[in-house]
Protein backbone atom coordinates (compact mmCIF):
# COMPACT_ATOMS: atom_id res chain seq x y z
CA UNK A 1 0.00 0.00 0.00
CA UNK A 2 1.38 3.38 -1.00
CA UNK A 3 0.18 6.63 0.58
CA UNK A 4 2.53 9.34 -0.61
CA UNK A 5 0.67 10.85 -3.55
CA UNK A 6 -2.78 12.39 -4.03
CA UNK A 7 -5.44 10.05 -5.36
CA UNK A 8 -8.47 10.91 -7.50
CA UNK A 9 -11.44 8.76 -8.45
CA UNK A 10 -13.13 9.60 -11.75
CA UNK A 11 -16.30 7.69 -12.61
CA UNK A 12 -16.90 7.11 -16.33
CA UNK A 13 -13.26 7.99 -17.01
CA UNK A 14 -12.59 5.73 -20.00
CA UNK A 15 -13.51 8.33 -22.60
CA UNK A 16 -15.08 11.72 -23.22
CA UNK A 17 -15.28 14.30 -20.44
CA UNK A 18 -14.24 11.79 -17.80
CA UNK A 19 -11.06 10.98 -19.64
CA UNK A 20 -10.35 14.68 -20.14
CA UNK A 21 -10.51 14.98 -16.35
CA UNK A 22 -8.32 11.90 -15.90
CA UNK A 23 -5.62 13.35 -18.17
CA UNK A 24 -5.65 16.73 -16.44
CA UNK A 25 -5.53 15.34 -12.91
CA UNK A 26 -2.77 12.96 -14.01
CA UNK A 27 -0.83 15.97 -15.24
CA UNK A 28 -1.49 17.63 -11.87
CA UNK A 29 0.23 14.72 -10.11
CA UNK A 30 -2.75 12.61 -9.01
CA UNK A 31 -2.90 8.82 -9.21
CA UNK A 32 -6.19 7.94 -10.91
CA UNK A 33 -8.80 5.30 -10.13
CA UNK A 34 -11.48 4.86 -12.79
CA UNK A 35 -14.80 3.00 -12.50
CA UNK A 36 -16.52 2.58 -15.86
CA UNK A 37 -18.95 0.12 -17.43
CA UNK A 38 -16.80 -0.07 -20.57
CA UNK A 39 -14.18 -2.77 -21.03
CA UNK A 40 -10.69 -1.36 -20.65
CA UNK A 41 -9.64 -3.10 -23.88
CA UNK A 42 -11.92 -0.78 -25.85
CA UNK A 43 -10.10 2.30 -24.54
CA UNK A 44 -6.62 0.85 -23.98
CA UNK A 45 -4.94 3.56 -26.08
CA UNK A 46 -6.14 6.25 -23.67
CA UNK A 47 -4.49 4.43 -20.78
CA UNK A 48 -1.31 3.61 -22.69
CA UNK A 49 -0.95 7.38 -23.11
CA UNK A 50 -1.22 7.78 -19.32
CA UNK A 51 1.57 5.22 -18.91
CA UNK A 52 3.71 7.20 -21.33
CA UNK A 53 3.05 10.34 -19.29
CA UNK A 54 4.11 8.54 -16.10
CA UNK A 55 0.61 8.64 -14.55
CA UNK A 56 -0.36 5.84 -12.15
CA UNK A 57 -3.85 4.45 -12.71
CA UNK A 58 -6.26 1.72 -11.74
CA UNK A 59 -9.16 0.73 -13.99
CA UNK A 60 -12.13 -1.24 -12.73
CA UNK A 61 -14.98 -2.27 -15.02
CA UNK A 62 -18.28 -1.87 -13.20
CA UNK A 63 -21.33 0.31 -12.71
CA UNK A 64 -22.05 3.14 -10.31
CA UNK A 65 -25.58 1.69 -10.14
CA UNK A 66 -24.38 -1.50 -8.43
CA UNK A 67 -23.64 -1.47 -4.68
CA UNK A 68 -21.34 -4.48 -5.10
CA UNK A 69 -19.40 -2.78 -7.91
CA UNK A 70 -19.06 0.46 -5.95
CA UNK A 71 -17.79 -1.33 -2.87
CA UNK A 72 -15.36 -3.57 -4.69
CA UNK A 73 -14.04 -0.59 -6.70
CA UNK A 74 -13.39 1.43 -3.55
CA UNK A 75 -11.71 -1.56 -1.89
CA UNK A 76 -9.41 -2.00 -4.93
CA UNK A 77 -8.62 1.71 -4.95
CA UNK A 78 -7.65 1.65 -1.28
CA UNK A 79 -5.65 -1.53 -1.75
CA UNK A 80 -3.63 0.05 -4.56
CA UNK A 81 -3.40 3.69 -3.48
CA UNK A 82 -4.28 3.77 0.23
CA UNK A 83 -6.60 6.80 0.22
CA UNK A 84 -8.93 9.02 -1.82
CA UNK A 85 -8.42 12.79 -2.01
CA UNK A 86 -10.76 13.66 -4.88
CA UNK A 87 -14.00 12.17 -6.24
CA UNK A 88 -15.19 13.34 -9.65
CA UNK A 89 -18.74 12.13 -10.27
CA UNK A 90 -18.72 12.17 -14.05
CA UNK A 91 -20.41 8.90 -15.14
CA UNK A 92 -23.75 9.66 -16.67
CA UNK A 93 -26.16 8.66 -19.40
CA UNK A 94 -28.61 10.35 -21.73
CA UNK A 95 -32.01 8.78 -22.50
CA UNK A 96 -31.63 5.97 -25.05
CA UNK A 97 -34.25 7.72 -27.15
CA UNK A 98 -35.36 11.31 -26.86
CA UNK A 99 -39.09 11.42 -26.25
CA UNK A 100 -41.54 14.13 -25.35
CA UNK A 101 -42.08 14.45 -21.59
CA UNK A 102 -45.71 13.38 -22.12
CA UNK A 103 -44.49 10.11 -23.66
CA UNK A 104 -41.57 9.40 -21.32
CA UNK A 105 -41.48 5.81 -20.11
CA UNK A 106 -40.85 4.73 -16.54
CA UNK A 107 -38.07 2.53 -17.92
CA UNK A 108 -36.25 5.54 -19.35
CA UNK A 109 -36.82 7.55 -16.16
CA UNK A 110 -35.41 4.70 -14.05
CA UNK A 111 -32.39 4.26 -16.35
CA UNK A 112 -31.41 7.92 -16.45
CA UNK A 113 -32.31 8.98 -12.91
CA UNK A 114 -31.09 5.63 -11.52
CA UNK A 115 -27.67 6.16 -13.09
CA UNK A 116 -27.11 9.91 -12.94
CA UNK A 117 -28.73 10.70 -9.60
CA UNK A 118 -29.08 7.50 -7.55
CA UNK A 119 -25.80 5.94 -8.71
CA UNK A 120 -23.91 9.17 -8.05
CA UNK A 121 -25.56 9.64 -4.64
CA UNK A 122 -24.54 6.23 -3.36
CA UNK A 123 -21.11 6.33 -4.98
CA UNK A 124 -20.53 9.59 -3.14
CA UNK A 125 -21.79 8.19 0.13
CA UNK A 126 -19.16 5.47 0.38
CA UNK A 127 -16.33 7.68 -0.85
CA UNK A 128 -17.25 10.54 1.50
CA UNK A 129 -17.34 8.11 4.43
CA UNK A 130 -13.84 7.00 3.43
CA UNK A 131 -12.62 10.61 3.19
CA UNK A 132 -13.85 11.24 6.73
CA UNK A 133 -11.63 8.42 8.00
CA UNK A 134 -8.56 10.08 6.49
CA UNK A 135 -6.28 12.81 7.82
CA UNK A 136 -6.51 16.36 6.58
CA UNK A 137 -3.70 16.89 4.09
CA UNK A 138 -2.72 20.50 3.56
CA UNK A 139 -5.78 22.72 3.68
CA UNK A 140 -8.56 20.18 3.24
CA UNK A 141 -9.57 16.58 3.72
CA UNK A 142 -11.08 16.04 0.29
CA UNK A 143 -12.84 17.45 -2.77
CA UNK A 144 -15.96 16.17 -4.51
CA UNK A 145 -16.89 17.51 -7.96
CA UNK A 146 -20.22 16.66 -9.58
CA UNK A 147 -20.42 16.94 -13.36
CA UNK A 148 -23.98 18.06 -14.05
CA UNK A 149 -25.09 20.00 -17.14
CA UNK A 150 -26.62 23.20 -18.46
CA UNK A 151 -29.75 21.02 -18.28
CA UNK A 152 -29.95 21.80 -14.55
CA UNK A 153 -31.91 24.88 -15.54
CA UNK A 154 -32.39 24.73 -19.32
CA UNK A 155 -35.54 22.87 -20.35
CA UNK A 156 -35.38 20.12 -22.99
CA UNK A 157 -38.94 18.76 -23.22
CA UNK A 158 -37.68 15.67 -25.07
CA UNK A 159 -35.29 14.56 -22.34
CA UNK A 160 -36.92 15.65 -19.10
CA UNK A 161 -35.51 12.68 -17.19
CA UNK A 162 -31.99 13.91 -17.97
CA UNK A 163 -32.81 17.47 -16.82
CA UNK A 164 -34.37 16.12 -13.60
CA UNK A 165 -31.39 13.89 -12.87
CA UNK A 166 -28.95 16.79 -13.23
CA UNK A 167 -31.13 19.22 -11.25
CA UNK A 168 -31.17 16.61 -8.48
CA UNK A 169 -27.37 16.55 -8.50
CA UNK A 170 -27.31 20.35 -8.20
CA UNK A 171 -29.15 20.29 -4.87
CA UNK A 172 -27.17 17.22 -3.79
CA UNK A 173 -24.03 19.30 -4.31
CA UNK A 174 -25.32 21.87 -1.86
CA UNK A 175 -26.53 19.32 0.69
CA UNK A 176 -23.17 17.56 0.67
CA UNK A 177 -21.26 20.84 0.81
CA UNK A 178 -23.31 21.79 3.87
CA UNK A 179 -22.88 18.41 5.55
CA UNK A 180 -19.16 18.07 4.86
CA UNK A 181 -17.83 21.62 5.27
CA UNK A 182 -16.99 21.20 8.94
CA UNK A 183 -15.07 18.05 8.00
CA UNK A 184 -13.08 20.10 5.46
CA UNK A 185 -14.42 18.19 2.47
CA UNK A 186 -15.35 20.74 -0.21
CA UNK A 187 -18.04 20.01 -2.80
CA UNK A 188 -18.52 21.66 -6.18
CA UNK A 189 -20.55 21.30 -9.35
CA UNK A 190 -19.51 21.85 -12.96
CA UNK A 191 -22.21 22.46 -15.56
CA UNK A 192 -20.87 21.67 -19.03
CA UNK A 193 -22.63 23.13 -22.06
CA UNK A 194 -22.15 21.25 -25.33
CA UNK A 195 -19.00 19.16 -25.26
CA UNK A 196 -17.81 17.14 -28.24
CA UNK A 197 -18.03 13.51 -27.06
CA UNK A 198 -19.79 10.24 -27.89
CA UNK A 199 -22.81 11.48 -25.94
CA UNK A 200 -23.36 14.43 -28.29
CA UNK A 201 -22.51 12.55 -31.50
CA UNK A 202 -26.21 11.95 -32.26
CA UNK A 203 -26.96 15.68 -32.04
CA UNK A 204 -23.69 16.94 -33.53
CA UNK A 205 -25.32 18.67 -36.49
CA UNK A 206 -28.02 20.31 -34.34
CA UNK A 207 -25.47 21.76 -31.91
CA UNK A 208 -23.00 22.74 -34.64
CA UNK A 209 -25.82 24.71 -36.27
CA UNK A 210 -26.64 26.39 -32.93
CA UNK A 211 -23.00 27.35 -32.45
CA UNK A 212 -22.91 28.69 -35.99
CA UNK A 213 -26.09 30.68 -35.31
CA UNK A 214 -24.49 32.38 -32.29
CA UNK A 215 -26.21 30.60 -29.37
CA UNK A 216 -22.87 30.32 -27.57
CA UNK A 217 -20.93 33.55 -26.90
CA UNK A 218 -17.65 31.61 -27.16
CA UNK A 219 -18.55 30.14 -30.53
CA UNK A 220 -17.02 26.67 -30.55
CA UNK A 221 -17.67 23.16 -29.26
CA UNK A 222 -16.47 22.59 -25.73
CA UNK A 223 -13.83 19.89 -25.36
CA UNK A 224 -13.26 17.37 -22.54
CA UNK A 225 -10.07 19.27 -21.73
CA UNK A 226 -12.14 22.38 -20.90
CA UNK A 227 -13.88 20.43 -18.14
CA UNK A 228 -10.57 18.90 -16.99
CA UNK A 229 -9.17 22.38 -16.41
CA UNK A 230 -12.19 23.46 -14.36
CA UNK A 231 -12.01 20.33 -12.18
CA UNK A 232 -8.29 20.95 -11.70
CA UNK A 233 -9.00 24.49 -10.46
CA UNK A 234 -11.45 23.21 -7.83
CA UNK A 235 -9.00 20.54 -6.67
CA UNK A 236 -6.22 23.07 -6.23
CA UNK A 237 -6.02 25.21 -3.08
CA UNK A 238 -7.46 28.26 -4.86
CA UNK A 239 -11.04 27.78 -3.57
CA UNK A 240 -10.59 26.78 0.04
CA UNK A 241 -13.16 29.28 1.39
CA UNK A 242 -15.70 28.22 -1.23
CA UNK A 243 -18.04 25.24 -1.21
CA UNK A 244 -21.41 24.27 -2.72
CA UNK A 245 -20.79 26.46 -5.77
CA UNK A 246 -21.19 25.66 -9.42
CA UNK A 247 -19.39 26.96 -12.47
CA UNK A 248 -20.83 26.92 -15.99
CA UNK A 249 -18.26 25.61 -18.48
CA UNK A 250 -20.41 26.35 -21.47
CA UNK A 251 -18.85 29.14 -23.54
CA UNK A 252 -21.21 31.64 -21.89
CA UNK A 253 -24.40 29.78 -22.93
CA UNK A 254 -25.96 30.47 -19.50
CA UNK A 255 -25.97 34.24 -20.08
CA UNK A 256 -29.50 35.54 -20.66
CA UNK A 257 -29.64 38.09 -23.45
CA UNK A 258 -32.10 40.05 -25.51
N1 LIG B 1 -21.15 15.94 -23.78
C1 LIG B 1 -21.86 16.96 -23.33
O1 LIG B 1 -22.20 17.90 -24.08
C2 LIG B 1 -22.27 17.03 -21.88
C3 LIG B 1 -22.90 18.21 -21.47
C4 LIG B 1 -23.29 18.32 -20.14
C5 LIG B 1 -23.03 17.30 -19.25
N2 LIG B 1 -22.42 16.15 -19.70
C6 LIG B 1 -22.18 15.11 -18.68
O2 LIG B 1 -20.82 14.78 -18.65
C7 LIG B 1 -20.66 13.42 -18.24
C8 LIG B 1 -19.78 12.70 -19.25
O3 LIG B 1 -20.43 12.68 -20.49
P1 LIG B 1 -19.69 12.51 -21.91
O4 LIG B 1 -20.23 13.54 -22.80
O5 LIG B 1 -18.23 12.37 -21.72
O6 LIG B 1 -20.37 11.13 -22.38
P2 LIG B 1 -19.76 9.69 -22.70
O7 LIG B 1 -20.94 8.84 -23.00
O8 LIG B 1 -18.68 9.79 -23.71
O9 LIG B 1 -19.09 9.27 -21.31
C9 LIG B 1 -19.82 8.79 -20.23
C10 LIG B 1 -18.95 7.76 -19.53
O10 LIG B 1 -19.68 7.27 -18.40
C11 LIG B 1 -19.64 5.86 -18.43
N3 LIG B 1 -20.81 5.32 -17.73
C12 LIG B 1 -22.10 5.38 -18.14
N4 LIG B 1 -22.88 4.76 -17.26
C13 LIG B 1 -22.07 4.31 -16.26
C14 LIG B 1 -22.30 3.58 -15.09
N5 LIG B 1 -23.53 3.17 -14.73
N6 LIG B 1 -21.25 3.29 -14.30
C15 LIG B 1 -20.00 3.67 -14.64
N7 LIG B 1 -19.71 4.36 -15.77
C16 LIG B 1 -20.75 4.66 -16.58
C17 LIG B 1 -19.62 5.50 -19.90
O11 LIG B 1 -19.19 4.16 -20.13
C18 LIG B 1 -18.67 6.56 -20.45
O12 LIG B 1 -17.33 6.17 -20.34
C19 LIG B 1 -22.06 12.85 -18.13
O13 LIG B 1 -22.47 12.89 -16.78
C20 LIG B 1 -22.90 13.81 -18.95
O14 LIG B 1 -24.24 13.84 -18.52
C21 LIG B 1 -22.04 16.00 -20.99
Amino acid sequence: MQVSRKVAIVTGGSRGIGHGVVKQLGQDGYALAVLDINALADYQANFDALDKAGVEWLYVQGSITSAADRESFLAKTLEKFGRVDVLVNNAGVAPKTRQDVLDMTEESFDFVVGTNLKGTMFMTQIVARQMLKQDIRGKKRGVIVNITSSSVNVSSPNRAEYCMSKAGLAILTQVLADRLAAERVLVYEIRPGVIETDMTRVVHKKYSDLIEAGAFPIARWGQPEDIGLAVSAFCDDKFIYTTGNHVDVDGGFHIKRL
Side-chain angles (χ1 to χ4, degrees), residues 12 14-18 35-38 62-65 90-93 115 147-149 162 166 192-195 197-200:
S14 69
R15 70 180 192 202
I17 290 173
L35 175 66
D36 200 301
I37 44 171
N38 291 327
S63 175
I64 60 166
T65 61
N90 163 79
V93 292
T115 303
I147 307 298
T148 64
S149 168
Y162 184 79
K166 295 298 188 177
V194 296
I195 313 296
T197 67
D198 287 291
M199 187 179 275
T200 45

Side-chain angles (χ1 to χ4, degrees), residues 209-253:
D209 290 349
L210 280 173
I211 293 167
E212 184 90 355
F216 298 80
I218 300 175
R220 65 164 172 85
W221 274 91
Q223 296 301 325
E225 290 74 16
D226 293 311
I227 310 301
L229 287 168
V231 171
S232 171
F234 278 140
C235 295
D236 199 356
D237 279 346
K238 301 260 171 23
F239 290 100
I240 51 165
Y241 192 55
T242 300
T243 193
N245 299 68
H246 80 266
V247 63
D248 298 281
V249 184
D250 63 352
F253 177 60

Side-chain angles (χ1 to χ4, degrees), residues 9-22 33-38 59-66 69-70 73 87-95 111-124 144-149 162 165-166 169 172 190 192 197 199 227 231:
I9 287 175
V10 181
T11 64
S14 69
R15 70 180 192 202
I17 290 173
H19 200 71
V21 173
V22 163
V34 171
L35 175 66
D36 200 301
I37 44 171
N38 291 327
Y59 190 97
V60 177
Q61 186 177 9
S63 175
I64 60 166
T65 61
S66 153
D69 287 0
R70 294 189 297 261
F73 166 68
L87 168 64
V88 182
N89 284 313
N90 163 79
V93 292
F111 170 61
V112 175
V113 177
T115 303
N116 297 359
L117 184 56
K118 184 177 174 190
T120 299
M121 164 64 222
F122 289 99
M123 182 75 210
T124 307
I144 297 169
V145 183
N146 295 325
I147 307 298
T148 64
S149 168
Y162 184 79
S165 71
K166 295 298 188 177
L169 285 180
L172 178 62
I190 290 174
T197 67
M199 187 179 275
I227 310 301
V231 171

